[in-house]
Amino acid sequence: MNIKKTEMYTFQSEVKQLLHLMIHSLYSNKEIFLRELISNASDAIDKLRFAAISSSDLYENENDLNIQISVNKAQKTLIISDNGIGMTRQETIDNLGTIAKSGTKAFINSLKEQTNKKNELIGEFGVGFYSSFIVSDKVSVRTRFAGHDPTEGTLWESSGKGEYHVTNITKKNRGTEITLFLKKEEEEFLETWRIKNIVSKYSDHITVPVNIQNYDEEKKTYFWEQINKAKALWTLKKSSITHDEYKDFYKHLTNDQNNPLVWSHNHVEGNLEYISLLYIPEKAAWDIWNRDNKHGLKLYVKRVYIMDNSQEFLPNYLRFVRGLIDSNNLPLNVSREILQGNAITHNLKKALTKRSLNMLDKLSRDSQEKYQIFWNQFGIVLKEGPAEDHDNLKKISNLLRFACSQNNSSEQTLSLQKYVDNMIEKQEKIYYITADSYISAKNSPHLELFNKKNINVLLLSDRIDEWMMNYLIEFEGKKFQSISKEDSSIQTFSEEKKIKNTDLPKNIIEFLKKVKKHLGNQVKDVRITYRLTETPCVVLSDSNEMTTQMAKLFSAAGQSVPELKYIFEINPEHALIKKICSIQNETQFKEWITLLLEQALLSEKGSLENPHQFIARMNNLLLQ
Ligand code: ADP
Ligand code: MG
């Protein structure tokens, strides 16, 4: 490429929006621009180190890798330079003029809606290079790609207003030098003490040395002073690392401003040699529900940075776990393709899954309060576990938490162990109900018998729950049982259990016959209930049929579902049933029975196919 002249470009519209949002929402925390620039410089050095594994001439006789910061008080400039990989002309245009990251557009849109939480959100997001415009009137970037000719350098300049200029230049040293022309009111960033302070706050643990230029008044010379620790924290002995250091490192690693809830740091020797440092965040990332959400661990091989977001080391249901893995067994030239289907990766994944689950188990024992924070943030993700990871089903089951009928709160706090420990005498199964919402589960007529008998029932109302219950078969030898399904164990608790439908008083038998005849094949069966106390009737799924919630899930996913046929159960003690029993007029009787069935269906499904017909029928009967 041989474009010598300066060219002007305009920023992508998302960049303009981001710049605008950032300048107006981050003014109280401007210092983070330095963290972002140092982080980019450190990434660039990591990339060089990695590329140089296969072609060492990229070092160009300069392999003292470091980041340098200097100030020019006269010109009010702050300069951050690195001898990392650098950028080509096209790369400056692609990387500094557009936002390539997936999900970023969605993020900007969500920011516009959430005016009150902007600061927090944008902090979590990791604002990157553009944050330099918070403190600068103008930013100029001089860069040259490692291994390229010095004449192939690039100068990128912008005042962050909407356009930028790109020019070809000669740059002797590889890497990138960023000059910030500070705004008048930002001169504090020209003070060495201020810079040192920010670097030690945010950048102590980046593995590259950060040097600042100092002036020796006596000798009248400049000298470089290293201002960060520049030691890979995870390689240090556990006992030599303080809690604060672990927390700072987490923030540096993840860009998350919140502290981690808990971490697990392990040096492992033997066949599989590795160091892992895993964290559980306190807050879910803004895009954890996004399918493209980049997750996974940072991968190092023998202390050399290889890649971010390697998803191969943890199952999907643990995608909230952050941290790093440093392997001694993997080759340095490992790629994503090699990672997939590799035996070492497979074994590491197994080991790290165990470590993550054990860390959560320990957290649940050590601090109920912290565990609850975890569960409220990530419980829904962990609920994917039973379907994804059969080998660890027992461990995962122990980590689940539920709302239940005997707790007056929608918060999910009950463990299965606690449920089983508090089962009543003769109770053989773990009972649960799934519904669209907590309120709807909590008020389901199916609960009446259980409340009367003091039997606790798990109330499940997350979308994933019905799916999860397909994979939770038993816990501690107790089977799971949906209470909206036909099941003989439920009858055991009923006082009416001995009453068979044929032993009933004659008028009731007659009544059932009439109902059956009228409803025909709209229902599977009609019978007297042993479950209800306050409700006239209810519908149940047959034991071998799909539940209502499952059917809803399938139709929401666009799948066709066979029509569900329910068992219709009637409570003969209920005043309304007694009244209907005595109705002689055939037409009126039928209207009442249809209305009862519609009521029961509405209560079970939360909706009816033809609600207008239902309302018309009810209004007619009310008028009579
Ligand atoms: P992120 O670091 O999250 O990718 P940034 O906005 O901080 O986002 O940076 C955008 C991109 O610009 C980087 O991904 C990188 O490709 C490039 N870049 C920024 N600073 C440097 C640098 N000092 N050396 C080389 N490339 C850089
Ligand atoms: Mg960055």
Side-chain angles (χ1 to χ4, degrees):
M1 216 184 342
N2 224 342
I3 310 162
K4 283 277 180 267
K5 64 179 196 297
T6 301
E7 285 193 336
M8 192 190 88
Y9 299 82
T10 49
F11 284 119
Q12 184 194 27
S13 63
E14 282 84 6
V15 176
K16 285 188 217 163
Q17 287 173 10
L18 183 64
L19 280 167
H20 181 83
L21 277 169
M22 212 156 42
I23 290 166
H24 290 93
S25 40
L26 279 182
Y27 51 85
S28 58
N29 197 19
K30 324 177 228 209
E31 63 187 31
I32 56 144
F33 78 89
L34 194 54
R35 173 191 75 193
E36 297 295 333
L37 295 182
I38 291 177
S39 145
N40 286 348
S42 154
D43 288 349
I45 287 174
D46 276 343
K47 282 180 200 159
L48 174 77
R49 217 187 250 142
F50 179 63
I53 294 169
S54 46
S55 53
S56 61
D57 47 341
L58 291 180
Y59 279 128
E60 304 176 12
N61 306 322
E62 188 189 353
N63 50 16
D64 184 15
L65 300 169
N66 71 108
I67 298 167
Q68 297 184 330
I69 303 180
S70 54
V71 296
N72 183 329
K73 286 198 175 176
Q75 294 183 359
K76 300 194 173 51
T77 54
L78 174 62
I79 303 159
I80 295 107
S81 73
D82 65 71
N83 51 6
I85 192 87
M87 283 179 272
T88 63
R89 180 184 170 106
Q90 189 56 41
E91 279 175 336
T92 63
I93 294 168
D94 294 342
N95 297 335
L96 309 182
T98 64
I99 302 177
K101 275 172 282 189
S102 71
T104 305
K105 291 176 196 182
F107 171 74
I108 294 172
N109 289 335
S110 80
L111 261 190
K112 279 190 248 158
E113 284 151 24
Q114 312 219 17
T115 36
N116 52 343
K117 278 171 61 192
K118 243 179 222 171
N119 265 334
E120 219 175 291
L121 283 172
I122 205 158
E124 251 175 74
F125 173 64
V127 284
F129 168 77
Y130 300 112
S131 63
S132 38
F133 289 103
I134 303 173
V135 295
S136 313
D137 282 328
K138 184 176 124 181
V139 176
S140 78
V141 179
R142 300 177 69 249
T143 184
R144 201 248 305 154
F145 198 78
H148 285 188
D149 195 83
T151 58
E152 287 181 50
T154 304
L155 170 67
W156 181 103
E157 277 189 308
S158 176
S159 56
K161 293 275 156 39
E163 67 222 31
Y164 58 93
H165 295 88
V166 181
T167 317
N168 276 35
I169 56 164
T170 294
K171 185 172 186 292
K172 190 168 139 277
N173 301 321
R174 68 154 193 271
T176 303
E177 179 189 288
I178 298 181
T179 305
L180 306 183
F181 296 82
L182 294 173
K183 292 181 182 167
K184 241 212 301 302
E185 63 276 20
E186 309 298 351
E187 288 175 16
E188 59 177 297
F189 298 113
L190 295 173
E191 301 299 334
T192 310
W193 64 267
R194 183 77 174 100
I195 294 168
K196 281 186 184 173
N197 181 285
I198 302 171
V199 170
S200 77
K201 183 163 163 195
Y202 296 109
S203 310
D204 233 6
H205 294 292
I206 63 162
T207 51
V208 192
V210 178
N211 296 314
I212 192 163
Q213 192 177 44
N214 274 323
Y215 187 66
D216 188 324
E217 298 285 351
E218 275 174 25
K219 292 185 195 155
K220 307 253 179 274
T221 51
Y222 287 98
F223 66 97
W224 292 102
E225 177 194 0
Q226 183 172 333
I227 54 174
N228 68 334
K229 292 207 183 92
K231 177 99 182 138
L233 176 107
W234 66 95
T235 61
L236 306 178
K237 269 224 224 76
K238 273 159 72 163
S239 55
S240 69
I241 308 172
T242 67
H243 280 204
D244 281 343
E245 285 174 322
Y246 275 119
K247 289 179 188 171
D248 288 347
F249 185 70
Y250 168 79
K251 292 178 182 173
H252 158 70
L253 196 72
T254 60
N255 253 328
D256 182 355
Q257 310 294 291
N258 304 289
N259 280 320
L261 263 186
V262 64
W263 55 87
S264 161
H265 182 195
N266 295 283
H267 294 252
V268 179
E269 282 165 17
N271 280 342
L272 205 57
E273 242 180 77
Y274 67 91
I275 303 171
S276 63
L277 176 51
L278 306 177
Y279 289 96
I280 306 291
E282 188 176 82
K283 273 189 66 194
W286 61 274
D287 63 345
I288 191 145
W289 310 120
N290 185 345
R291 277 173 176 278
D292 312 328
N293 159 7
K294 288 220 178 104
H295 60 270
L297 302 178
K298 209 173 181 116
L299 172 64
Y300 289 79
V301 170
K302 301 186 186 83
R303 319 293 170 263
V304 178
Y305 163 80
I306 308 292
M307 65 175 93
D308 282 321
N309 306 317
S310 35
Q311 304 182 4
E312 290 77 8
F313 297 102
L314 283 174
N316 233 323
Y317 73 94
L318 293 176
R319 61 181 174 273
F320 48 81
V321 176
R322 312 291 299 269
L324 64 87
I325 162 92
D326 186 344
S327 160
N328 275 355
N329 307 95
L330 287 167
L332 275 169
N333 64 354
V334 69
S335 63
R336 281 194 204 273
E337 289 66 40
I338 296 179
L339 278 183
Q340 287 159 7
N342 175 302
I344 298 167
T345 313
H346 177 81
N347 291 334
L348 282 171
K349 180 174 180 176
K350 239 170 128 172
L352 296 180
T353 302
K354 283 249 153 62
R355 287 203 186 283
S356 305
L357 293 173
N358 289 345
M359 165 165 57
L360 288 172
D361 182 59
K362 185 164 182 304
L363 181 68
S364 74
R365 288 165 207 279
D366 291 350
S367 163
Q368 230 178 24
E369 195 191 330
K370 281 191 178 175
Y371 189 75
Q372 202 56 46
I373 295 177
F374 157 74
W375 182 261
N376 294 345
Q377 289 288 316
F378 302 110
I380 296 187
V381 182
L382 193 70
K383 282 177 176 183
E384 296 169 17
E388 193 183 343
D389 187 358
H390 192 263
D391 291 349
N392 287 303
L393 188 56
K394 169 87 188 152
K395 277 195 161 112
I396 300 167
S397 302
N398 267 312
L399 293 172
L400 301 173
R401 294 294 180 270
F402 298 90
C404 65
S405 58
Q406 293 186 348
N407 258 356
N408 260 330
S409 158
S410 62
E411 204 179 5
Q412 301 171 359
T413 54
L414 180 70
S415 70
L416 291 174
Q417 190 60 55
K418 248 208 185 121
Y419 180 97
V420 169
D421 291 346
N422 291 316
M423 292 198 336
I424 65 162
E425 211 183 319
K426 286 206 218 141
Q427 186 183 343
E428 298 279 304
K429 291 187 171 183
I430 300 171
Y431 294 108
Y432 71 92
I433 183 164
T434 49
D436 283 342
S437 66
Y438 167 76
I439 294 290
S440 147
K442 174 86 181 164
N443 294 300
S444 165
H446 292 296
L447 281 173
E448 288 175 15
L449 170 71
F450 293 85
N451 288 342
K452 193 165 132 201
K453 298 291 165 191
N454 222 358
I455 301 168
N456 205 0
V457 175
L458 307 177
L459 306 179
L460 301 179
S461 56
D462 287 328
R463 267 176 85 78
I464 176 102
D465 285 338
E466 185 70 42
W467 174 251
M468 173 179 74
M469 293 316 289
N470 282 329
Y471 297 88
L472 279 186
I473 309 302
E474 57 170 45
F475 181 83
E476 300 263 296
K478 312 285 183 204
K479 290 217 155 53
F480 287 89
Q481 176 65 48
S482 161
I483 64 166
S484 63
K485 274 195 162 185
E486 158 72 358
D487 178 64
S488 59
S489 80
I490 298 173
Q491 264 181 73
T492 323
F493 299 109
S494 168
E495 280 135 23
E496 285 85 5
K497 66 179 171 183
K498 291 194 197 79
I499 306 176
K500 294 208 186 91
N501 275 353
T502 45
D503 298 338
L504 292 168
K506 248 199 164 142
N507 62 328
I508 298 286
I509 297 182
E510 275 307 304
F511 172 74
L512 283 182
K513 265 194 195 156
K514 273 167 73 183
V515 175
K516 247 185 225 179
K517 189 163 160 236
H518 169 53
L519 293 178
N521 62 5
Q522 290 181 63
V523 292
K524 218 163 198 169
D525 195 10
V526 180
R527 60 191 182 209
I528 294 302
T529 189
Y530 45 82
R531 298 168 178 248
L532 299 177
T533 53
E534 288 131 43
T535 307
C537 56
V538 71
V539 289
L540 318 173
S541 314
D542 205 354
S543 51
N544 50 13
E545 278 225 51
M546 195 184 268
T547 61
T548 309
Q549 279 307 107
M550 197 55 161
K552 279 192 191 170
L553 277 185
F554 274 110
S555 21
Q559 307 225 21
S560 70
V561 191
E563 198 199 340
L564 293 183
K565 285 254 171 73
Y566 293 99
I567 298 164
F568 186 42
E569 286 199 351
I570 291 171
N571 175 8
E573 302 300 317
H574 197 277
L576 192 57
I577 303 292
K578 285 183 176 157
K579 183 184 164 193
I580 298 169
C581 250
S582 65
I583 292 176
Q584 298 303 319
N585 180 320
E586 186 92 353
T587 333
Q588 254 192 43
F589 178 84
K590 285 182 179 169
E591 281 297 284
W592 272 109
I593 296 305
T594 308
L595 184 78
L596 282 182
L597 178 63
E598 284 172 340
Q599 276 190 2
L601 287 173
L602 180 59
S603 163
E604 175 68 17
K605 304 204 279 194
S607 67
L608 285 174
E609 251 160 62
N610 192 342
H612 311 292
Q613 203 175 35
F614 167 71
I615 292 167
R617 196 185 322 278
M618 184 158 65
N619 290 345
N620 268 336
L621 288 170
L622 283 172
L623 281 175
Q624 277 166 21

